[in-house]
């Protein structure tokens, strides 16, 4: 593996860049460990990060997985000025944002930091503190709608792995804290050093595609309307059926205009988009669980052609069907390929 030569190493002038990674009870372990590992690995190649795991009192904390984590320091023992504050999340983000001492600590430390970053549900803590007001932000794709609903002043983006808006950075789920930290190392010390860190940790320098490959961007709401529920169930039961608008309206016993209006008000999308999402979901299952060719999967899931399915996958998931199958079918296949 290529490493940065000693005479090529870039050392930051002046005092070390203090990276404070906040730790608190219930925090997700990888949210803390991932970024810390990136910054400490960067030090092996010439960076000068003073990485500190910090808890409010300096005492141990218990992570969401039950692992006990020792803090390096208390908040009071940190330098007056911080280079980077990393705020991880916890699965139960409501408990975190309801913890007033923790929220006071996030607000205070962020004000002392040159830049503030969050990992996964840590975005909720930044939003609660008002740090994300008027800013673009990312979080785990499962939490994006909740973040947007609770904090309407935050411009939530569901697909990116991480988002930078000025001196505030937010990342998606769990392991994307590594992606975010690599981007910070690159900003501080250049692409060569960041690449050396990525190679050492055996991770992508830039992750292929965004979060959409794990979940379609427009997950439909489940309607309680009896007429619409019957139509949705029929589409889901047989995605390969033509499902023309006239036929759906006839089945529902309403006009096409009324059916379209029901879909928009109850589900938040057009009938055509709903049919497309159901077909993509059916194709995903066929690609990862069977050996049918892409052409056969396209026909069985209602796309008619592999090219039509490819366009929908690219639009909704950000990857081609063949790439989706390779990434999500089996870890054994990826290991053999590597």
């Amino acid at each position: 593996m290529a490493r940065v030569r000693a005479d090529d190493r870039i050392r930051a002038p002046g005092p070390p860049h203090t990276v404070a990674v906040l730790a608190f009870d219930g925090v997700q372990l990888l949210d803390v460990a991932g970024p810390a590992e990136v910054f400490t690995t960067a030090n092996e190649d010439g960076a000068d990060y003073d990485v500190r795991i910090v808890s409010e009192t300096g005492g141990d904390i218990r992570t969401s997985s039950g692992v006990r984590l020792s803090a390096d320091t208390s908040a009071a023992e940190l330098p007056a000025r911080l280079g980077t504050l990393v705020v991880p999340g916890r699965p139960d983000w409501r408990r975190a944002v309801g913890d007033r001492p923790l929220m006071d600590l996030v607000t205070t430390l962020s004000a002392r930091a040159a830049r503030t970053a969050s990992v996964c549900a840590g975005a909720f803590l930044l939003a609660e503190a008002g740090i994300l007001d008027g800013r673009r932000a990312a979080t785990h794709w499962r939490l994006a709608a909740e973040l947007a609903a609770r904090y309407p002043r935050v411009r939530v983006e569901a697909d990116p792995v991480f988002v930078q808006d000025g001196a505030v950075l937010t990342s998606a789920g769990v392991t994307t804290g590594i992606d975010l930290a690599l981007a910070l190392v690159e900003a501080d010390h250049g692409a060569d050093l960041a690449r050396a860190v990525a190679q050492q940790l055996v991770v992508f320098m830039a992750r292929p595609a965004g979060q959409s490959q794990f979940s379609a961007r427009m997950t439909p709401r489940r309607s309680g309307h009896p007429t619409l529920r019957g139509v949705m169930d029929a589409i889901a039961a047989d995605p390969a059926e033509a499902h023309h608008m006239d036929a759906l309206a006839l089945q529902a016993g309403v006009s096409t205009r009324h059916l379209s209006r029901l879909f928009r008000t109850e589900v938040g999308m057009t009938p055509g988009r709903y049919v497309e999402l159901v077909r993509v979901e059916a194709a995903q299952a066929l690609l990862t669980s069977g050996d049918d060719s892409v052409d056969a999967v396209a026909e069985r899931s209602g796309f008619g052609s592999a090219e039509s399915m490819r366009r929908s996958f690219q639009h909704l998931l950000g990857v081609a069907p063949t790439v989706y199958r390779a990434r999500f079918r089996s870890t054994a296949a990826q290991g053999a390929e590597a």
Side-chain angles (χ1 to χ4, degrees):
M1 181 194 67
R3 303 286 283 166
V4 176
R5 298 191 307 273
D7 55 349
D8 288 338
R9 294 176 179 176
I10 307 169
R11 294 199 175 274
H17 178 118
T18 301
V19 177
V21 185
L22 191 58
F24 48 91
D25 282 331
V27 74
Q28 193 132 350
L29 178 60
L30 270 176
D31 287 10
V32 176
E37 193 68 32
V38 170
F39 290 116
T40 55
T41 301
N43 285 343
E44 298 175 14
D45 287 305
D48 196 13
Y49 292 111
D50 176 16
V51 182
R52 304 193 194 186
I53 308 300
V54 55
S55 66
E56 182 182 6
T57 64
D60 294 356
I61 60 96
R62 187 174 293 278
T63 66
S64 61
S65 60
V67 175
R68 186 169 290 279
L69 192 64
S70 294
D72 299 312
T73 185
S74 68
E77 295 169 323
L78 287 171
R81 296 299 300 167
L82 305 174
T84 302
L85 171 66
V86 178
V87 179
R90 61 175 290 173
D92 184 1
W93 59 264
R94 291 176 180 82
R95 290 279 299 275
V97 301
D99 184 337
R100 294 324 307 172
L102 174 60
M103 289 308 310
D104 290 343
L105 190 58
V106 169
T107 302
T108 300
L109 294 182
S110 179
R112 291 161 52 185
R115 61 192 179 197
T116 297
S118 69
V119 183
C120 196
F124 285 86
L125 281 76
L126 299 192
E128 181 71 17
I131 297 167
L132 295 182
D133 284 356
R135 296 184 186 272
R136 297 164 51 242
T139 189
H140 192 289
W141 61 268
R142 286 188 183 276
L143 301 175
E146 294 179 62
L147 182 64
R150 178 160 178 137
Y151 303 102
R153 297 187 65 183
V154 181
R155 303 201 303 272
V156 180
E157 298 189 8
D159 186 45
V161 170
F162 67 86
V163 167
Q164 179 170 3
D165 192 325
V168 179
L169 301 95
T170 50
S171 69
V174 193
T175 59
T176 58
I178 294 174
D179 301 69
L180 181 148
L182 280 171
L184 294 178
V185 170
E186 181 175 0
D188 294 339
H189 298 287
D192 287 345
L193 195 145
R195 189 175 300 109
V197 174
Q199 290 171 337
Q200 175 69 11
L201 298 180
V202 197
V203 296
F204 288 112
M205 178 74 163
R207 188 181 299 234
Q211 295 193 83
S212 293
Q213 60 189 306
F214 301 97
S215 171
R217 281 179 241 177
M218 295 180 65
T219 303
R221 299 192 296 265
R222 184 66 180 164
S223 173
H225 194 287
T227 298
L228 196 54
R229 188 167 62 244
V231 173
M232 295 172 74
D233 288 344
I235 295 170
D238 188 5
E241 181 63 43
H243 296 306
H244 295 306
M245 189 64 178
D246 289 342
L248 291 175
L250 182 63
Q251 176 185 340
V254 298
S255 68
T256 56
R257 185 174 181 180
H258 183 59
L259 183 61
S260 180
R261 184 163 54 247
L262 279 176
F263 262 96
R264 287 188 178 278
T265 57
E266 293 283 324
V267 189
M269 62 184 66
T270 65
R273 174 50 61 88
Y274 178 75
V275 171
E276 182 183 21
L277 288 179
V278 169
R279 286 173 175 167
V280 166
E281 186 176 275
Q284 287 175 293
L286 291 169
L287 287 167
T288 56
S289 64
D291 296 316
D292 285 352
S293 67
V294 171
D295 286 325
V297 169
E299 185 165 345
R300 288 182 60 189
S301 54
F303 285 103
S305 71
E307 175 57 25
S308 177
M309 183 170 73
R310 186 195 67 78
R311 287 197 298 268
S312 287
F313 265 64
Q314 287 289 169
H315 176 62
L316 292 171
L317 306 181
V319 294
T322 51
V323 175
Y324 182 88
R325 169 177 266 173
R327 287 184 187 165
F328 293 96
R329 182 170 182 176
S330 170
T331 56
Q334 294 179 46
E337 184 178 322

